[in-house]
Amino acid sequence: MEEYKQVVIVRSDLRMSRGKLAVQVAHACVSCVLEIVEKGGVWREWLNEWVRSGQKKVVVKVDSEKELEERYKRALVLGIPASYIVDAGRTELEPGTPTCVGLGPAPSNIIDRVTGDLKLL
Amino acid sequence: MEEYKQVVIVRSDLRMSRGKLAVQVAHACVSCVLEIVEKGGVWREWLNEWVRSGQKKVVVKVDSEKELEERYKRALVLGIPASYIVDAGRTELEPGTPTCVGLGPAPSNIIDRVTGDLKLL
């Protein structure tokens, strides 16, 4: 049976508190889901399968904004639902700081082409 | 203009890594959104307003499972979208451990009746 997951790529070069990080990751996951609900199609089928199998989520890291952007672009090319999260900067970070990228839910073997080499946070 | 937010209540008495915590909070936020999309009604209007205004999310804490459960029940009574998140227990925690509760999006003044006295994580 095909496995589905969401993966969030976070920047490890930023200093974020536990709460701040959790909110950024949640923004990324929710933004992907909302885009999928709006657009439908095969993405919606992926979403349904993923919910049915328990909503697997994984958090991995990169160490720069450049790397974050490159992974995001790679996901778009592969047709994976993706959200690029920029902090509004009310606390902790400068306004407009990119913090993380949400990917999926999508089949794990497709997402792994974007994040398979990245370490867990 | 009315303010909308999601609030996630997490247990501070559990030892969770940053990544684990982020995943639990994201589960809570996504689960609420999925339930709202399915059920529609006024909740769906709250969701739309919240998305339009930038998806405000706040993470607060309680120090026991009992307290978590009580807040969850209070939210249900008030008609707030709510998700009760139980960890599958593959890593870090015992299987079946309740970790957090997601609330909203809903008008801030309603959610504050459940979590207004709780401290930020």
Side-chain angles (χ1 to χ4, degrees):
Chain A
M1 204 183 70
E2 197 154 33
E3 191 199 58
Y4 295 82
K5 63 183 173 186
Q6 259 191 333
V7 175
V8 182
I9 310 171
V10 305
R11 283 176 63 188
S12 60
D13 61 315
L14 299 175
R15 294 174 64 89
M16 290 188 271
S17 67
R18 286 162 62 86
K20 180 81 172 181
L21 174 78
V23 164
Q24 300 298 311
V25 169
H27 278 334
C29 292
V30 167
S31 297
C32 281
V33 167
L34 289 171
E35 192 185 354
I36 292 166
V37 168
E38 197 180 308
K39 297 205 174 156
V42 69
W43 284 3
R44 186 61 200 246
E45 290 165 35
W46 291 352
L47 178 68
N48 293 345
E49 287 298 321
W50 172 75
V51 170
R52 208 168 292 142
S53 60
Q55 276 195 49
K56 182 177 181 181
K57 295 186 188 71
V58 179
V59 182
V60 298
K61 60 185 174 182
V62 292
D63 62 7
S64 70
E65 180 179 339
K66 183 163 173 265
E67 184 74 16
L68 187 73
E69 205 179 317
E70 282 175 2
R71 301 289 172 153
Y72 175 66
K73 287 180 182 164
R74 206 189 294 180
L76 294 183
V77 169
L78 289 171
I80 297 170
S83 60
Y84 193 83
I85 304 302
V86 174
D87 192 61
R90 292 186 197 90
T91 55
E92 295 190 33
L93 301 171
E94 286 296 308
T97 305
T99 57
C100 62
V101 161
L103 304 177
S108 291
N109 62 333
I110 303 181
I111 290 203
D112 286 344
R113 291 172 61 188
V114 181
T115 62
D117 62 323
L118 297 178
K119 288 193 176 148
L120 292 177
L121 180 72
Chain B
M1 204 185 68
E2 195 153 36
E3 191 200 57
Y4 295 83
K5 64 183 172 186
Q6 260 190 335
V7 174
V8 182
I9 310 170
V10 305
R11 284 176 61 187
S12 60
D13 61 315
L14 298 175
R15 293 175 64 88
M16 289 188 273
S17 68
R18 286 162 63 84
K20 179 81 173 182
L21 175 77
V23 164
Q24 299 297 313
V25 169
H27 278 334
C29 293
V30 167
S31 296
C32 281
V33 167
L34 289 171
E35 192 185 353
I36 292 166
V37 167
E38 196 180 310
K39 297 206 173 155
V42 69
W43 285 2
R44 188 57 201 248
E45 290 164 36
W46 292 351
L47 178 70
N48 293 345
E49 286 299 321
W50 171 74
V51 170
R52 210 168 291 142
S53 60
Q55 275 194 51
K56 183 177 181 183
K57 294 186 188 75
V58 179
V59 182
V60 298
K61 60 185 173 181
V62 291
D63 61 7
S64 70
E65 180 180 338
K66 183 163 173 266
E67 184 73 16
L68 187 74
E69 205 179 316
E70 281 175 5
R71 303 287 172 154
Y72 175 65
K73 287 179 182 163
R74 206 189 294 180
L76 294 183
V77 169
L78 290 170
I80 296 170
S83 61
Y84 193 83
I85 304 302
V86 174
D87 192 59
R90 292 187 197 89
T91 55
E92 294 189 34
L93 301 172
E94 286 296 310
T97 304
T99 57
C100 61
V101 161
L103 303 177
S108 290
N109 62 334
I110 303 181
I111 291 203
D112 286 344
R113 291 172 62 188
V114 182
T115 61
D117 62 323
L118 298 178
K119 290 194 175 146
L120 292 176
L121 180 71

